[in-house]
Amino acid sequence: MNNIDAKTHVRGQSIYLDDIPVIQGTLYAACFDSPMAHGVIKQLDISIAEQSKGVIKVITYKNIMGENQIGGIIPDEPLLAEHHVHFCGMPIALVIAETDEDARAAVKKIKVDIDPLPIITDARAAAAKGELIVPPRKFKLGDTTKAWNECAYIFEGTTETNGQEHLYIETQGAYAVPQENNSIKIYSSTQGPTAVQKTVSKVTGLAMHQIEIDVTRLGGGFGGKEDQANTWAALCAVAAHILKRPVKYALHRMEDMRMTGKRHPYSSDFRIGLNKDLKIMAYEATFYQNAGAAADLSSAVLERTLFHCTNSYYIPNVTATAYSCRTNLPPNTAFRGFGGPQGMFVIEAAIAKAADKLGIDKTVIQQKNLLQTDNELPYGQKLVSEAHECWNKADELYNIDKIKNDVENFNKKNNLYKKGMALMPICFGISFTNTMMNHARSLVHVYSDGSVNISTGAVEMGQGVNTKILQVAAQIFSINPNKIKINTTNTFRIANTSPSAASATADLNGKATLIACTEILNRLKQLTAEELKVDVTSIQLKNEKIIVDGKETELDWQKLVMLAFTKRVSLSEHAHYATPEIYFDKTKEKGHPFAYHVYGTAIITTTIDCLRGTYEVDSVKVVHDFGSSINKAIDLGQIEGGIVQGIGWMTMEEIIYDKDGKLRSNALSTYKVPDIYSVPKEMIIHFLHTDKDNLAIFKSKAVGEPPLMYGIGAYFALCDAIKAFNPSADIKFDAPMTPEKVLLNLYKKNSIAVSGVPIAHQV
Ligand code: MOS
C-alpha cells in the first residue's frame, strides 16, 4: 500500500504548522537569545524594543505566571533566563508583534549586559570539574579485571564522535490560540504532544485538561522534536495566555540551528582484550557525553549508549561506565539512535584497532564474535539473535570475499584513487528504555455509514506511521483502506501519550489500534450471530462481506454497521496497550528492557581521491531483519534515509562551536548534509524475513532508528581506503571523517612514500 500522504505531499497540499490558516488578530513571536555562553545578566534593556513598530509586548521571565521551568526529566532548565545564561542561544526575552518582520526587527533592539563566567565546551573538561548532569552509570557483565589475564592481546584507545544537526525540513514552531474559559489550543510541531501539554501546564499554571495540543504532521523530527518542541509551544502559550490573542512562532533556520540542541558529541576510552582465537574476552569503555547546559533527555540517551556498547557482539566480560557532562552548549537531545550509535562507534573502533595492530582483517574479528541466541548482554537480557543469519545472508548474496578482492585489485592498479570496504553489523533494542513509557492508546470510531476514524498518540513525521496504523484497521475489519481516516494527534482525544520515538510508535499505537478494532469486530460478530441465528465462531468478515460457514450472507459491512447502530451496539472503542514482558532494575542495572531486537549487516565500499581527500560511497549492500514487513515501500524508505543520515553523521556533518561556545556551523553554507550527489551510488536492501517476535505489530519489526547505524561502516571503509594509500597512517578515531581529515591522514608525516604522487601534495 502507498503512503497515504504521498498525493498531498507531491501536490504541496499537506498541512504543516506554517500552513495552518491563521485567525484574525494573530500575533507573531520572536526570541531574543543569549549572545554569550555563560555569565550573569547585569542588565537587560527592552525599552527600545517595546517602542518598536508593531510591538505589543516584550515578555521576560517576570511575566511567566506559572513556573519558569521546562526541564522534562530534571527541572534544571528555565524557559526564559532569569539571572544566569548557560549557553549561546538561551532564550532571554520574547517579542510579540503584529507581524513576523516587526517581531524580528524589535529583537535586534534588545540590549543585554552580561558578566562573563568561564565557559566549558568539552565533555572531559566538564567531568574533570565534577560538572555532571546525573551520577555516572555502570553496566557490568562477568569480571573484566580477571578476564584480562585470559587475553593474548589487549589494545587501548580513545574515540570522538561529533554531534549532528537534526535538520528537519520543517523548523521548530508553534501556534497558540486562546479558547473560552482560559483554556488554550496549541498547534505544535512536536513528536511529544503530551510533553508539550505538560510543559505548557507548568509555565501557564493551567491544568492539563485546559490545554489541547494538536499535531497534523511534522516535516521531520529525528528526535529533535521529542523534547525541544516544548520551548516554542510554551513561549507561544505564555504570550497567548497573557494577551488573550493567538500567537505564532515558526523559527527561521538559523534561529533553529543556534538555539536548539543536537545529537550528543561523545569522547570515549576503550580497552579490548582478545584470546588467541580472536574471541573478544574483555571490553571496558568509558563514555563522556557532552550534554550541554541542561539535562533535557541526556540521562536517557546515556543509558542507551550503555545498552548498545557491545553492538552486535557477545563479550563475556564487560565494564562500561558513562558520564553525562554539563557544558555551556545548547542542551543536546534525542537524535535517531538515541545514544546507541555513539556506543556502537566505540566498539567498532576498538575492533578496528585490534585488527590493525594484529595485521588481520576487521571482518574476521567481527564475524567471530557475533551474537548468538541465548547470549546474555551486559544488561542481563538474553536474546533471540539474527546476527549470524544477517551476516551469512549478506555473504551469500553479495560475496564478501569477492568485494574484498575487487577492492584489493583496484588498489593494486590505482595510485591516485583508493577503495576501502567495511562491514557493519547492527543489533538494536526496541522499546523505550524507560519501561513506564511503553504504552499507547487508540480511539476508533465506526460511523453509521461504515466509514472509520482513528486517533492514536502516534505523530506522523514522514515515517509513515499513519499508513501502518490504517493498514492494521483495514486488515482487522477487512475493509477498503479508503473507508478509513487517521486523525490528527490530539491530547483531548488521546491522553498521556509517550512521544513518537524509540522506533516503537507503530508497534505501540498499532497494537492499541488492533485491540480497539478487534473489540468492535467482536461486537459486530456477536450481533451477526444473534441476527442470523448462527454460531459466532462460524462468522467471518472478509472484503466487506459477512461470511458464515464459508458462504456469503445478505449482510455486508455497511449493512451490518447500520444494523449495529439501530440496535444500539457501540461502534466506538478506546483501547490501551502496554508492552508485556519488559522490565529493568536500575539498582542492579539488569533486566529485560527490550521487547525484541532488530539485526542487520551492511557492506560498505568507498573510493577516495588521494590528491584531494574527497570521496564517494560506492555501495551499501544490506541484509536487514524486517521481521515480516507490512509495508515494504515505507520500510525501504526508512532504511535508505537512515543509511544516508548515518553516513552524513560519520563523514561530512561537522558541528563546530568555538571556544566561546558560539556555533560556527550555523547555516547550510557552513554545515554540510548529504545531498543527492553524496548518497551512495548503489544501495541494495535485502529483506530478511524473520518471524520470532510477536511484540512487533503483525511481526513487522520497528525500522526507524536501526538503519542509521549502518552509516558507521562508511567511516571504517574510509579508514580502509586511507590505509591502502598510506599503510602506516595512525588514524585517530575522530568522526566525522571529513575530506579535510582524509587528506591529512593520507599524507601524515611518517607515511610511506607512494610512487606517482607529486610531493607538492604532501602536507
Ligand atoms: Mo527518537 S531519537 O527516540 O526521538
Side-chain angles (χ1 to χ4, degrees):
M1 179 178 173
N2 286 339
N3 189 317
I4 53 174
D5 281 343
K7 280 192 180 140
T8 55
H9 276 3
V10 296
R11 289 172 176 156
Q13 292 167 337
S14 297
I15 303 281
Y16 298 88
L17 182 95
D18 211 17
D19 303 310
I20 297 169
V22 291
I23 293 164
Q24 201 172 15
T26 292
L27 299 171
Y28 293 83
C31 208
F32 173 75
D33 59 291
S34 177
M36 304 220 343
H38 196 196
V40 178
I41 299 176
K42 275 197 341 209
Q43 211 200 340
L44 177 69
D45 183 1
I46 56 171
S47 58
I48 303 170
E50 278 177 321
Q51 303 308 314
S52 185
K53 176 174 159 280
V55 171
I56 304 291
K57 191 173 176 63
V58 178
I59 289 172
T60 68
Y61 76 92
K62 291 176 189 156
N63 303 108
I64 295 174
M65 53 293 253
E67 225 184 303
N68 181 23
Q69 182 52 248
I70 60 166
I73 299 178
I74 299 170
D76 67 347
E77 192 180 354
L79 175 61
L80 290 168
E82 297 186 8
H83 309 296
H84 284 80
V85 289
H86 299 282
F87 62 93
C88 281
M90 182 175 181
I92 295 176
L94 189 75
V95 174
I96 310 297
E98 295 287 354
T99 71
D100 199 33
E101 294 74 21
D102 288 348
R104 286 197 164 82
V107 162
K108 296 202 179 101
K109 296 174 186 166
I110 295 178
K111 300 223 163 16
V112 68
D113 190 5
I114 297 171
D115 262 350
L117 288 169
I119 294 162
I120 303 175
T121 58
D122 176 73
R124 287 179 195 258
K129 286 207 154 70
E131 286 288 341
L132 298 181
I133 297 273
V134 286
R137 299 277 298 269
K138 195 185 281 289
F139 279 24
K140 282 184 85 151
L141 182 68
D143 186 343
T144 43
T145 330
K146 277 190 200 148
W148 297 120
N149 301 324
E150 299 164 39
C151 298
Y153 317 106
I154 297 172
F155 305 99
E156 294 178 338
T158 63
T159 73
E160 302 285 335
T161 49
N162 202 337
Q164 186 174 23
E165 169 62 47
H166 300 87
L167 218 90
Y168 21 67
I169 292 177
E170 180 196 29
T171 54
Q172 304 267 6
Y175 181 30
V177 184
Q179 311 286 306
E180 61 179 21
N181 298 322
N182 263 337
S183 64
I184 191 161
K185 177 169 186 171
I186 300 160
Y187 302 93
S188 165
S189 181
T190 180
Q191 291 172 245
T194 294
V196 169
Q197 186 188 23
K198 272 190 184 159
T199 307
V200 169
S201 165
K202 200 172 227 178
V203 298
T204 58
L206 296 171
M208 286 170 77
H209 74 285
Q210 287 175 290
I211 301 160
E212 178 181 7
I213 312 298
D214 194 84
V215 186
T216 300
R217 67 165 63 70
L218 318 186
F222 309 114
K225 296 170 182 170
E226 184 177 338
D227 217 48
Q228 300 214 346
N230 300 355
T231 309
W232 325 106
L235 288 171
C236 288
V238 164
H241 196 48
I242 293 171
L243 299 168
K244 299 290 173 238
R245 284 176 70 177
V247 176
K248 179 176 165 178
Y249 188 13
L251 272 65
H252 286 181
R253 181 63 65 188
M254 284 176 82
E255 294 174 327
D256 192 306
M257 291 179 86
R258 185 174 74 237
M259 292 195 274
T260 67
K262 305 165 199 321
R263 183 188 291 286
H264 293 80
Y266 273 63
S267 296
S268 310
D269 300 324
F270 66 78
R271 191 165 195 236
I272 188 169
L274 301 90
N275 70 12
K276 282 201 308 294
D277 302 324
L278 302 177
K279 283 269 187 198
I280 305 170
M281 299 309 295
Y283 180 60
E284 283 181 4
T286 308
F287 301 100
Y288 298 90
Q289 176 199 57
N290 191 330
D296 192 273
L297 296 164
S298 295
S299 57
V301 171
L302 189 81
E303 191 176 44
R304 202 176 260 280
T305 302
L306 291 172
F307 281 121
H308 295 303
C309 71
T310 56
N311 187 15
S312 194
Y313 310 108
Y314 175 62
I315 307 177
N317 303 287
V318 178
T319 306
T321 315
Y323 298 90
S324 182
C325 312
R326 189 183 289 109
T327 61
N328 298 110
L329 300 182
N332 286 314
T333 194
F335 196 134
R336 206 172 191 173
F338 206 76
Q342 290 96 319
M344 289 187 192
F345 181 82
V346 182
I347 182 69
E348 293 301 324
I351 292 172
K353 176 127 190 188
D356 189 37
K357 295 290 174 196
L358 294 169
I360 55 164
D361 212 287
K362 182 173 180 250
T363 55
V364 177
I365 302 177
Q366 288 177 307
Q367 189 182 7
K368 264 193 201 274
N369 291 282
L370 287 175
L371 286 164
Q372 310 217 25
T373 293
D374 285 336
N375 280 162
E376 185 180 337
L377 287 166
Y379 48 92
Q381 182 161 350
K382 290 192 176 169
L383 337 119
V384 176
S385 173
E386 307 285 354
H388 283 275
E389 285 70 10
C390 290
W391 183 289
N392 294 342
K393 189 76 191 173
D395 195 18
E396 181 194 319
L397 289 172
Y398 311 128
N399 195 342
I400 298 171
D401 281 341
K402 183 174 182 309
I403 296 174
K404 214 175 277 181
N405 284 334
D406 289 349
V407 166
E408 278 170 18
N409 287 334
F410 178 92
N411 288 343
K412 274 188 202 134
K413 290 186 202 131
N414 292 279
N415 275 333
L416 296 182
Y417 291 91
K418 294 290 181 189
K419 284 190 188 291
M421 67 109 66
L423 266 81
M424 184 64 201
I426 60 156
C427 166
F428 196 80
I430 302 303
S431 288
F432 286 98
T433 51
N434 184 359
T435 303
M436 65 147 282
M437 292 171 77
N438 293 285
H439 58 92
R441 280 148 303 283
S442 176
L443 176 64
V444 178
H445 296 310
V446 179
Y447 292 97
S448 56
D449 67 352
S451 66
V452 178
N453 187 297
I454 300 173
S455 298
T456 72
V459 171
E460 176 62 51
M461 47 187 149
Q463 85 279 44
V465 68
N466 281 356
T467 305
K468 287 188 173 178
I469 288 170
L470 188 146
Q471 283 182 272
V472 170
Q475 186 164 329
I476 298 297
F477 290 142
S478 195
I479 59 174
N480 192 321
N482 68 15
K483 281 201 161 62
I484 305 170
K485 174 173 164 36
I486 308 291
N487 242 319
T488 62
T489 316
N490 184 299
T491 54
F492 280 0
R493 281 192 300 272
I494 301 293
N496 309 321
T497 62
S498 289
S500 287
S503 306
T505 313
D507 280 354
L508 296 173
N509 294 280
K511 291 265 190 183
T513 302
L514 186 150
I515 296 168
C517 293
T518 306
E519 284 295 319
I520 295 170
L521 177 74
N522 288 342
R523 292 201 283 264
L524 290 173
K525 281 183 176 174
Q526 192 57 46
L527 176 67
T528 307
E530 286 160 20
E531 205 61 24
L532 302 180
K533 300 189 173 47
V534 295
D535 191 80
V536 76
T537 56
S538 67
I539 301 165
Q540 248 191 313
L541 275 72
K542 210 170 171 200
N543 298 328
E544 305 193 3
K545 296 279 191 301
I546 315 305
I547 316 278
V548 174
D549 283 330
K551 281 194 223 89
E552 273 187 29
T553 63
E554 78 268 24
L555 276 178
D556 63 13
W557 169 259
Q558 220 144 326
K559 284 182 196 154
L560 179 58
V561 166
M562 183 50 89
L563 182 69
F565 174 68
T566 57
K567 297 272 178 184
R568 300 184 295 168
V569 173
S570 168
L571 289 167
S572 296
E573 188 66 28
H574 179 258
H576 172 83
Y577 173 75
T579 314
E581 295 170 30
I582 53 171
Y583 67 93
F584 193 70
D585 181 348
K586 279 196 191 185
T587 62
K588 298 193 178 78
E589 302 286 28
K590 296 283 178 194
H592 187 103
F594 298 118
Y596 58 90
H597 291 78
V598 171
Y599 299 85
T601 294
I603 309 170
I604 296 106
T605 57
T606 57
T607 305
I608 57 173
D609 176 330
C610 301
L611 284 181
R612 296 171 183 84
T614 52
Y615 47 73
E616 284 184 331
V617 178
D618 300 324
S619 76
V620 180
K621 295 175 177 169
V622 178
V623 171
H624 185 85
D625 160 28
F626 287 89
S628 174
S629 175
I630 51 170
N631 195 315
K632 289 195 171 184
I634 282 174
D635 286 351
L636 188 64
Q638 284 293 301
I639 297 271
E640 290 180 346
I643 289 172
V644 173
Q645 197 165 39
I647 291 174
W649 172 51
M650 280 283 111
T651 68
M652 66 179 76
E653 298 183 39
E654 193 171 34
I655 288 177
I656 296 175
Y657 287 99
D658 64 20
K659 62 175 179 11
D660 295 327
K662 260 203 173 59
L663 182 65
R664 291 300 174 187
S665 51
N666 65 349
L668 291 179
S669 53
T670 45
Y671 185 76
K672 180 82 187 92
V673 286
D675 56 23
I676 194 68
Y677 300 105
S678 43
V679 305
K681 284 188 276 185
E682 175 186 46
M683 266 200 272
I684 306 176
I685 315 295
H686 177 79
F687 283 66
L688 185 76
H689 182 99
T690 60
D691 62 0
K692 296 173 196 136
D693 292 293
N694 281 315
L695 298 184
I697 181 69
F698 290 148
K699 297 192 176 188
S700 182
K701 284 190 172 184
V703 75
E705 290 167 294
L708 181 125
M709 282 147 274
Y710 293 133
I712 295 171
Y715 182 93
F716 292 96
L718 287 172
C719 291
D720 192 45
I722 293 165
K723 287 273 184 189
F725 183 83
N726 182 4
S728 74
D730 188 17
I731 304 169
K732 276 193 200 157
F733 299 111
D734 183 10
M737 185 62 88
T738 57
E740 291 85 348
K741 283 189 205 157
V742 171
L743 193 64
L744 290 171
N745 279 309
L746 285 169
Y747 297 99
K748 261 201 177 159
K749 263 198 181 145
N750 55 353
S751 66
I752 294 159
V754 176
S755 60
V757 177
I759 207 87
H761 285 278
Q762 298 195 7
V763 291

